Amino acid sequence: MFVPRKIEGNCFYFSTNTSAMRSQQFIKNPKASIYFYNKGRFKYEGIMLTGTMEVLQDDEIKQEIWSTGDTMYYKQGVTDPDYCVLKFTAIKGRYYCDLKTESFDIEDLK
């Protein structure tokens, strides 16, 4: 999966295949996590977010995050039935840096 196409508050939007194993898994069980990291020359940082993942087929959001190059993966364009949007909503997180970790709730950050 590529980087998020849209980030809005604690929600992250990704494009993927409806037929993908993970899409089908999230339809049955929406629990999910995502992880971002930055590997610098002298420092490694990472953040894991846990929450829920929704599989969206709404035409409006599909059009919003569609990119012209996506036709390489979805031959029928934005209306391709195998194109969907995953919306991840973060609830909790864990930050890692310099061998230290810190857990947090998203609500506490608002």
Side-chain angles (χ1 to χ4, degrees):
M1 190 178 314
F2 297 114
V3 298
R5 294 277 177 94
K6 176 182 174 181
I7 301 173
E8 187 174 69
N10 62 322
C11 296
F12 299 77
Y13 296 81
F14 304 88
S15 65
T16 193
N17 297 80
T18 308
S19 62
M21 180 179 73
R22 292 289 176 237
S23 297
Q24 296 305 305
Q25 176 185 331
F26 294 134
I27 289 170
K28 294 175 185 167
N29 180 356
K31 292 180 182 177
S33 65
I34 58 176
Y35 187 78
F36 299 97
Y37 71 93
N38 180 37
K39 183 180 176 187
R41 187 170 178 190
F42 300 105
K43 183 175 173 178
Y44 179 93
E45 296 179 276
I47 187 167
M48 179 186 68
L49 300 171
T50 59
T52 58
M53 189 77 79
E54 297 173 71
V55 179
L56 305 177
Q57 290 287 351
D58 178 76
D59 288 339
E60 189 175 321
I61 190 64
K62 287 170 67 173
Q63 185 68 46
E64 184 179 343
I65 71 164
W66 179 261
S67 179
T68 307
D70 289 346
T71 52
M72 181 169 59
Y73 307 105
Y74 311 105
K75 301 300 181 202
Q76 297 175 39
V78 73
T79 60
D80 193 314
D82 199 33
Y83 169 60
C84 69
V85 173
L86 297 181
K87 177 186 177 187
F88 175 80
T89 304
I91 299 169
K92 294 181 179 188
R94 187 165 180 88
Y95 173 73
Y96 171 86
C97 183
D98 295 331
L99 302 175
K100 297 178 188 142
T101 61
E102 184 176 342
S103 296
F104 57 90
D105 288 328
I106 300 297
E107 278 299 312
D108 294 342
L109 301 175
K110 292 182 178 180

mmCIF file of all heavy atoms in Angstrom, residues 30-60:
data_model
loop_
_atom_site.group_PDB
_atom_site.id
_atom_site.type_symbol
_atom_site.label_atom_id
_atom_site.label_comp_id
_atom_site.label_asym_id
_atom_site.label_seq_id
_atom_site.Cartn_x
_atom_site.Cartn_y
_atom_site.Cartn_z
ATOM 1 N N PRO A 30 -12.670 -4.682 11.548
ATOM 2 C CA PRO A 30 -12.095 -3.365 11.258
ATOM 3 C C PRO A 30 -10.887 -2.955 12.106
ATOM 4 O O PRO A 30 -10.325 -1.883 11.886
ATOM 5 C CB PRO A 30 -13.269 -2.419 11.502
ATOM 6 C CG PRO A 30 -14.078 -3.112 12.551
ATOM 7 C CD PRO A 30 -13.953 -4.578 12.221
ATOM 8 N N LYS A 31 -10.463 -3.791 13.049
ATOM 9 C CA LYS A 31 -9.305 -3.428 13.864
ATOM 10 C C LYS A 31 -8.057 -3.378 12.990
ATOM 11 O O LYS A 31 -7.822 -4.266 12.179
ATOM 12 C CB LYS A 31 -9.102 -4.429 14.995
ATOM 13 C CG LYS A 31 -10.194 -4.387 16.029
ATOM 14 C CD LYS A 31 -9.938 -5.390 17.120
ATOM 15 C CE LYS A 31 -11.063 -5.374 18.134
ATOM 16 N NZ LYS A 31 -10.854 -6.393 19.170
ATOM 17 N N ALA A 32 -7.258 -2.309 13.172
ATOM 18 C CA ALA A 32 -6.083 -2.132 12.320
ATOM 19 C C ALA A 32 -5.028 -1.276 13.004
ATOM 20 O O ALA A 32 -5.302 -0.623 14.011
ATOM 21 C CB ALA A 32 -6.498 -1.483 11.000
ATOM 22 N N SER A 33 -3.843 -1.280 12.420
ATOM 23 C CA SER A 33 -2.780 -0.374 12.848
ATOM 24 C C SER A 33 -2.000 0.055 11.616
ATOM 25 O O SER A 33 -1.973 -0.645 10.601
ATOM 26 C CB SER A 33 -1.859 -1.033 13.876
ATOM 27 O OG SER A 33 -1.173 -2.123 13.298
ATOM 28 N N ILE A 34 -1.393 1.228 11.721
ATOM 29 C CA ILE A 34 -0.501 1.709 10.669
ATOM 30 C C ILE A 34 0.787 2.179 11.339
ATOM 31 O O ILE A 34 0.796 2.520 12.525
ATOM 32 C CB ILE A 34 -1.141 2.823 9.804
ATOM 33 C CG1 ILE A 34 -1.560 4.028 10.643
ATOM 34 C CG2 ILE A 34 -2.333 2.278 9.034
ATOM 35 C CD1 ILE A 34 -2.107 5.195 9.810
ATOM 36 N N TYR A 35 1.860 2.164 10.594
ATOM 37 C CA TYR A 35 3.162 2.498 11.159
ATOM 38 C C TYR A 35 3.913 3.403 10.194
ATOM 39 O O TYR A 35 3.955 3.145 8.983
ATOM 40 C CB TYR A 35 3.973 1.217 11.403
ATOM 41 C CG TYR A 35 5.275 1.436 12.128
ATOM 42 C CD1 TYR A 35 5.287 1.625 13.508
ATOM 43 C CD2 TYR A 35 6.484 1.458 11.459
ATOM 44 C CE1 TYR A 35 6.472 1.831 14.185
ATOM 45 C CE2 TYR A 35 7.687 1.656 12.131
ATOM 46 C CZ TYR A 35 7.671 1.849 13.494
ATOM 47 O OH TYR A 35 8.845 2.055 14.171
ATOM 48 N N PHE A 36 4.474 4.469 10.721
ATOM 49 C CA PHE A 36 5.304 5.379 9.953
ATOM 50 C C PHE A 36 6.664 5.443 10.642
ATOM 51 O O PHE A 36 6.748 5.380 11.866
ATOM 52 C CB PHE A 36 4.713 6.792 9.922
ATOM 53 C CG PHE A 36 3.355 6.867 9.298
ATOM 54 C CD1 PHE A 36 2.210 6.853 10.087
ATOM 55 C CD2 PHE A 36 3.215 6.959 7.922
ATOM 56 C CE1 PHE A 36 0.956 6.932 9.517
ATOM 57 C CE2 PHE A 36 1.968 7.041 7.341
ATOM 58 C CZ PHE A 36 0.830 7.023 8.135
ATOM 59 N N TYR A 37 7.715 5.584 9.847
ATOM 60 C CA TYR A 37 9.040 5.709 10.454
ATOM 61 C C TYR A 37 9.900 6.670 9.647
ATOM 62 O O TYR A 37 9.641 6.960 8.484
ATOM 63 C CB TYR A 37 9.735 4.353 10.558
ATOM 64 C CG TYR A 37 10.174 3.780 9.229
ATOM 65 C CD1 TYR A 37 11.460 4.001 8.743
ATOM 66 C CD2 TYR A 37 9.298 3.018 8.461
ATOM 67 C CE1 TYR A 37 11.861 3.489 7.527
ATOM 68 C CE2 TYR A 37 9.684 2.503 7.243
ATOM 69 C CZ TYR A 37 10.966 2.738 6.785
ATOM 70 O OH TYR A 37 11.360 2.230 5.572
ATOM 71 N N ASN A 38 10.921 7.149 10.316
ATOM 72 C CA ASN A 38 11.927 7.996 9.694
ATOM 73 C C ASN A 38 13.282 7.469 10.141
ATOM 74 O O ASN A 38 13.613 7.512 11.332
ATOM 75 C CB ASN A 38 11.754 9.457 10.101
ATOM 76 C CG ASN A 38 12.793 10.347 9.452
ATOM 77 O OD1 ASN A 38 13.163 10.145 8.306
ATOM 78 N ND2 ASN A 38 13.272 11.326 10.198
ATOM 79 N N LYS A 39 14.027 6.957 9.194
ATOM 80 C CA LYS A 39 15.363 6.427 9.503
ATOM 81 C C LYS A 39 16.387 7.464 9.069
ATOM 82 O O LYS A 39 16.715 7.580 7.897
ATOM 83 C CB LYS A 39 15.589 5.102 8.775
ATOM 84 C CG LYS A 39 16.909 4.468 9.107
ATOM 85 C CD LYS A 39 17.077 3.167 8.354
ATOM 86 C CE LYS A 39 18.460 2.602 8.640
ATOM 87 N NZ LYS A 39 18.752 1.440 7.823
ATOM 88 N N GLY A 40 16.829 8.221 10.035
ATOM 89 C CA GLY A 40 17.860 9.212 9.770
ATOM 90 C C GLY A 40 19.238 8.591 9.855
ATOM 91 O O GLY A 40 19.397 7.402 10.146
ATOM 92 N N ARG A 41 20.232 9.400 9.635
ATOM 93 C CA ARG A 41 21.603 8.895 9.684
ATOM 94 C C ARG A 41 21.998 8.451 11.090
ATOM 95 O O ARG A 41 22.702 7.469 11.281
ATOM 96 C CB ARG A 41 22.551 9.976 9.185
ATOM 97 C CG ARG A 41 23.949 9.517 9.028
ATOM 98 C CD ARG A 41 24.782 10.526 8.304
ATOM 99 N NE ARG A 41 26.157 10.050 8.218
ATOM 100 C CZ ARG A 41 27.137 10.780 7.816
ATOM 101 N NH1 ARG A 41 26.935 12.023 7.438
ATOM 102 N NH2 ARG A 41 28.362 10.292 7.760
ATOM 103 N N PHE A 42 21.518 9.197 12.108
ATOM 104 C CA PHE A 42 21.894 8.887 13.489
ATOM 105 C C PHE A 42 20.704 8.590 14.385
ATOM 106 O O PHE A 42 20.878 8.345 15.568
ATOM 107 C CB PHE A 42 22.685 10.065 14.088
ATOM 108 C CG PHE A 42 23.936 10.363 13.341
ATOM 109 C CD1 PHE A 42 24.014 11.465 12.505
ATOM 110 C CD2 PHE A 42 25.042 9.534 13.444
ATOM 111 C CE1 PHE A 42 25.170 11.743 11.803
ATOM 112 C CE2 PHE A 42 26.204 9.808 12.748
ATOM 113 C CZ PHE A 42 26.272 10.907 11.913
ATOM 114 N N LYS A 43 19.524 8.641 13.832
ATOM 115 C CA LYS A 43 18.338 8.528 14.685
ATOM 116 C C LYS A 43 17.227 7.809 13.920
ATOM 117 O O LYS A 43 17.018 8.051 12.737
ATOM 118 C CB LYS A 43 17.885 9.944 15.044
ATOM 119 C CG LYS A 43 16.726 10.058 15.961
ATOM 120 C CD LYS A 43 16.561 11.555 16.270
ATOM 121 C CE LYS A 43 15.337 11.856 17.034
ATOM 122 N NZ LYS A 43 15.223 13.272 17.355
ATOM 123 N N TYR A 44 16.535 6.921 14.624
ATOM 124 C CA TYR A 44 15.397 6.211 14.063
ATOM 125 C C TYR A 44 14.167 6.589 14.885
ATOM 126 O O TYR A 44 14.181 6.484 16.112
ATOM 127 C CB TYR A 44 15.617 4.691 14.134
ATOM 128 C CG TYR A 44 14.478 3.884 13.589
ATOM 129 C CD1 TYR A 44 14.473 3.472 12.255
ATOM 130 C CD2 TYR A 44 13.393 3.530 14.389
ATOM 131 C CE1 TYR A 44 13.421 2.738 11.745
ATOM 132 C CE2 TYR A 44 12.342 2.798 13.885
ATOM 133 C CZ TYR A 44 12.358 2.397 12.564
ATOM 134 O OH TYR A 44 11.320 1.663 12.060
ATOM 135 N N GLU A 45 13.125 7.070 14.211
ATOM 136 C CA GLU A 45 11.873 7.407 14.880
ATOM 137 C C GLU A 45 10.746 6.620 14.237
ATOM 138 O O GLU A 45 10.755 6.405 13.025
ATOM 139 C CB GLU A 45 11.516 8.882 14.707
ATOM 140 C CG GLU A 45 12.460 9.855 15.317
ATOM 141 C CD GLU A 45 11.991 11.265 15.049
ATOM 142 O OE1 GLU A 45 12.300 11.784 13.958
ATOM 143 O OE2 GLU A 45 11.300 11.829 15.917
ATOM 144 N N GLY A 46 9.782 6.227 15.035
ATOM 145 C CA GLY A 46 8.622 5.533 14.500
ATOM 146 C C GLY A 46 7.382 5.844 15.315
ATOM 147 O O GLY A 46 7.474 6.197 16.488
ATOM 148 N N ILE A 47 6.251 5.735 14.649
ATOM 149 C CA ILE A 47 4.981 5.908 15.345
ATOM 150 C C ILE A 47 4.002 4.858 14.829
ATOM 151 O O ILE A 47 3.859 4.670 13.616
ATOM 152 C CB ILE A 47 4.412 7.334 15.195
ATOM 153 C CG1 ILE A 47 3.188 7.516 16.088
ATOM 154 C CG2 ILE A 47 4.107 7.663 13.753
ATOM 155 C CD1 ILE A 47 2.755 8.954 16.251
ATOM 156 N N MET A 48 3.411 4.131 15.759
ATOM 157 C CA MET A 48 2.386 3.160 15.419
ATOM 158 C C MET A 48 1.056 3.712 15.909
ATOM 159 O O MET A 48 0.942 4.143 17.066
ATOM 160 C CB MET A 48 2.641 1.814 16.085
ATOM 161 C CG MET A 48 1.555 0.787 15.745
ATOM 162 S SD MET A 48 1.694 -0.765 16.641
ATOM 163 C CE MET A 48 1.325 -0.239 18.301
ATOM 164 N N LEU A 49 0.083 3.716 15.034
ATOM 165 C CA LEU A 49 -1.266 4.144 15.398
ATOM 166 C C LEU A 49 -2.188 2.945 15.303
ATOM 167 O O LEU A 49 -2.109 2.169 14.346
ATOM 168 C CB LEU A 49 -1.740 5.250 14.453
ATOM 169 C CG LEU A 49 -0.879 6.511 14.433
ATOM 170 C CD1 LEU A 49 -1.327 7.444 13.310
ATOM 171 C CD2 LEU A 49 -0.924 7.218 15.778
ATOM 172 N N THR A 50 -3.043 2.771 16.295
ATOM 173 C CA THR A 50 -4.032 1.697 16.262
ATOM 174 C C THR A 50 -5.423 2.314 16.229
ATOM 175 O O THR A 50 -5.646 3.406 16.760
ATOM 176 C CB THR A 50 -3.899 0.758 17.480
ATOM 177 O OG1 THR A 50 -4.058 1.523 18.676
ATOM 178 C CG2 THR A 50 -2.560 0.060 17.501
ATOM 179 N N GLY A 51 -6.336 1.613 15.589
ATOM 180 C CA GLY A 51 -7.701 2.111 15.459
ATOM 181 C C GLY A 51 -8.538 1.213 14.592
ATOM 182 O O GLY A 51 -8.413 -0.011 14.672
ATOM 183 N N THR A 52 -9.352 1.816 13.732
ATOM 184 C CA THR A 52 -10.249 1.049 12.875
ATOM 185 C C THR A 52 -10.051 1.433 11.407
ATOM 186 O O THR A 52 -9.687 2.557 11.092
ATOM 187 C CB THR A 52 -11.721 1.288 13.258
ATOM 188 O OG1 THR A 52 -12.008 2.686 13.149
ATOM 189 C CG2 THR A 52 -12.006 0.804 14.677
ATOM 190 N N MET A 53 -10.326 0.462 10.541
ATOM 191 C CA MET A 53 -10.197 0.663 9.099
ATOM 192 C C MET A 53 -11.552 0.372 8.450
ATOM 193 O O MET A 53 -12.131 -0.687 8.669
ATOM 194 C CB MET A 53 -9.143 -0.279 8.525
ATOM 195 C CG MET A 53 -8.778 -0.016 7.100
ATOM 196 S SD MET A 53 -7.679 1.392 6.885
ATOM 197 C CE MET A 53 -6.098 0.687 7.343
ATOM 198 N N GLU A 54 -12.037 1.335 7.671
ATOM 199 C CA GLU A 54 -13.283 1.159 6.920
ATOM 200 C C GLU A 54 -12.945 1.018 5.441
ATOM 201 O O GLU A 54 -12.069 1.706 4.930
ATOM 202 C CB GLU A 54 -14.187 2.378 7.069
ATOM 203 C CG GLU A 54 -14.660 2.663 8.468
ATOM 204 C CD GLU A 54 -15.405 3.983 8.509
ATOM 205 O OE1 GLU A 54 -16.535 4.046 7.970
ATOM 206 O OE2 GLU A 54 -14.848 4.950 9.051
ATOM 207 N N VAL A 55 -13.669 0.146 4.751
ATOM 208 C CA VAL A 55 -13.530 -0.005 3.313
ATOM 209 C C VAL A 55 -14.652 0.814 2.684
ATOM 210 O O VAL A 55 -15.824 0.501 2.850
ATOM 211 C CB VAL A 55 -13.625 -1.487 2.883
ATOM 212 C CG1 VAL A 55 -13.492 -1.617 1.375
ATOM 213 C CG2 VAL A 55 -12.553 -2.311 3.597
ATOM 214 N N LEU A 56 -14.277 1.896 1.989
ATOM 215 C CA LEU A 56 -15.259 2.818 1.428
ATOM 216 C C LEU A 56 -15.404 2.614 -0.076
ATOM 217 O O LEU A 56 -14.411 2.469 -0.783
ATOM 218 C CB LEU A 56 -14.846 4.267 1.697
ATOM 219 C CG LEU A 56 -14.577 4.661 3.151
ATOM 220 C CD1 LEU A 56 -14.118 6.110 3.224
ATOM 221 C CD2 LEU A 56 -15.811 4.443 4.003
ATOM 222 N N GLN A 57 -16.642 2.642 -0.541
ATOM 223 C CA GLN A 57 -16.939 2.557 -1.974
ATOM 224 C C GLN A 57 -17.656 3.814 -2.450
ATOM 225 O O GLN A 57 -18.138 3.865 -3.575
ATOM 226 C CB GLN A 57 -17.805 1.319 -2.259
ATOM 227 C CG GLN A 57 -17.082 0.013 -2.092
ATOM 228 C CD GLN A 57 -16.093 -0.252 -3.222
ATOM 229 O OE1 GLN A 57 -16.047 0.447 -4.224
ATOM 230 N NE2 GLN A 57 -15.271 -1.269 -3.039
ATOM 231 N N ASP A 58 -17.722 4.821 -1.598
ATOM 232 C CA ASP A 58 -18.409 6.071 -1.907
ATOM 233 C C ASP A 58 -17.726 6.780 -3.085
ATOM 234 O O ASP A 58 -16.525 7.033 -3.054
ATOM 235 C CB ASP A 58 -18.392 6.959 -0.661
ATOM 236 C CG ASP A 58 -19.025 8.301 -0.890
ATOM 237 O OD1 ASP A 58 -20.266 8.359 -0.934
ATOM 238 O OD2 ASP A 58 -18.277 9.281 -1.041
ATOM 239 N N ASP A 59 -18.496 7.098 -4.119
ATOM 240 C CA ASP A 59 -17.937 7.721 -5.321
ATOM 241 C C ASP A 59 -17.237 9.046 -5.025
ATOM 242 O O ASP A 59 -16.214 9.363 -5.634
ATOM 243 C CB ASP A 59 -19.032 7.948 -6.368
ATOM 244 C CG ASP A 59 -19.497 6.645 -6.991
ATOM 245 O OD1 ASP A 59 -18.753 5.649 -6.927
ATOM 246 O OD2 ASP A 59 -20.621 6.627 -7.546
ATOM 247 N N GLU A 60 -17.769 9.818 -4.092
ATOM 248 C CA GLU A 60 -17.199 11.136 -3.791
ATOM 249 C C GLU A 60 -15.779 11.031 -3.239
ATOM 250 O O GLU A 60 -14.870 11.721 -3.692
ATOM 251 C CB GLU A 60 -18.100 11.885 -2.816
ATOM 252 C CG GLU A 60 -17.705 13.331 -2.619
ATOM 253 C CD GLU A 60 -18.701 14.078 -1.738
ATOM 254 O OE1 GLU A 60 -19.915 13.840 -1.867
ATOM 255 O OE2 GLU A 60 -18.233 14.893 -0.933
#
